[in-house]
Amino acid sequence: MHKKSFTFIIDMPGFFDQIFSGLFPKGKGSQPVQVQEPIVRSAEELKSLQIWSYSEEAKSLYDQVYRSYHLKKAKINNKPEVHVFASAYANGFALSYQEEMGKQQFQFFFDSLKDKVIEMGYRLASSDRKIEEKSEYINTLEKHYLKPPLQDPIGGLIDQMFGNILIEYVQVNTRPSYIKVLASVYSDRLYKDAGDFNDFMDRLFSQA
């Protein structure tokens, strides 16, 4: 599988280092702290997500992001700010956080994207959180990784659907930064051609 990587460079003062210094004290020559753990939402969080998913706020945010995505493809900037990635083997977009979105709603959007991909027939391969202590800030990366259902390749080509789907949510010093969705496809002869990414976006942002 061929992938094209995309890098976000974030530089922000680390005011939160003072708080974390008590939790993760640094000794002489100590290594930066790294924490990796599975994402586990509480029953209350899942219920709140479900309520939000059927709200007017959710519909409005999905409509705004979908509109910004298509305007960005036409090289027109719009709010909320969306970045578009396009290559032969990976396509996607990133949504920059804005204060008016609210931290809770931004997380809901992240998790609801995962749920919508599962509704397309995908399986959740992993959900995890990685916290890294950088020199001047704390970087938190949450990600959902989804794959097409397991298939028996005997007798025909494997249906890769729209490829493997990676959904990432980045926070810097606990402040939301961006959410990224990336579809990476296989070019191997064992696989059918991947579905068009525009069709994936239509289904992802469908309000049905």
Side-chain angles (χ1 to χ4, degrees):
M1 180 176 70
H2 302 275
K3 293 183 178 180
K4 184 174 180 180
S5 61
F6 302 91
T7 303
F8 285 79
I9 300 174
I10 304 171
D11 186 10
M12 185 178 291
F15 67 90
F16 206 66
D17 287 23
Q18 298 179 26
I19 298 176
F20 267 68
S21 63
L23 297 175
F24 307 120
K26 289 184 179 180
K28 185 176 180 180
S30 63
Q31 297 297 314
V33 172
Q34 292 191 5
V35 176
Q36 189 156 0
E37 60 189 3
I39 295 175
V40 180
R41 305 296 190 211
S42 67
E44 183 177 350
E45 287 175 318
L46 293 175
K47 182 178 180 180
S48 296
L49 170 61
Q50 184 179 31
I51 293 172
W52 177 84
S53 296
Y54 291 98
S55 69
E56 286 300 316
E57 289 80 4
K59 183 180 185 304
S60 176
L61 181 57
Y62 266 87
D63 287 345
Q64 291 174 41
V65 174
Y66 189 57
R67 174 177 170 78
S68 287
Y69 168 78
H70 282 287
L71 287 173
K72 190 68 174 183
K73 286 180 62 179
K75 303 187 184 306
I76 300 172
N77 294 324
N78 190 54
K79 295 294 183 180
E81 186 177 5
V82 169
H83 309 273
V84 175
F85 311 115
S87 73
Y89 302 107
N91 293 277
F93 72 94
L95 171 66
S96 296
Y97 177 71
Q98 294 177 288
E99 292 294 340
E100 55 266 29
M101 294 176 181
K103 183 176 180 178
Q104 183 70 81
Q105 178 169 234
F106 208 61
Q107 179 186 304
F108 284 158
F109 184 67
F110 166 68
D111 285 335
S112 69
L113 289 170
K114 177 257 298 178
D115 291 342
K116 278 182 164 286
V117 175
I118 290 176
E119 289 174 3
M120 295 182 199
Y122 276 77
R123 60 186 175 91
L124 182 62
S126 64
S127 284
D128 58 67
R129 178 187 299 108
K130 185 177 182 181
I131 303 172
E132 291 185 286
E133 181 184 14
K134 304 293 187 179
S135 59
E136 295 184 341
Y137 60 91
I138 302 294
N139 190 78
T140 302
L141 169 64
E142 293 190 351
K143 62 182 180 180
H144 299 308
Y145 188 53
L146 301 103
K147 293 183 175 183
L150 295 173
Q151 302 168 54
D152 185 350
I154 298 176
L157 299 177
I158 300 172
D159 184 3
Q160 63 175 305
M161 301 176 73
F162 298 103
N164 294 337
I165 309 299
L166 176 64
I167 307 172
E168 294 183 339
Y169 171 28
V170 172
Q171 299 178 68
V172 178
N173 292 338
T174 75
R175 182 186 184 277
S177 181
Y178 66 86
I179 289 172
K180 181 175 72 175
V181 177
L182 195 67
S184 301
V185 304
Y186 294 98
S187 60
D188 193 288
R189 60 185 177 84
L190 296 176
Y191 293 85
K192 295 179 181 179
D193 290 341
D196 188 272
F197 185 73
N198 287 324
D199 292 339
F200 170 77
M201 289 293 290
D202 288 345
R203 294 182 63 180
L204 185 65
F205 284 87
S206 170
Q207 297 295 324

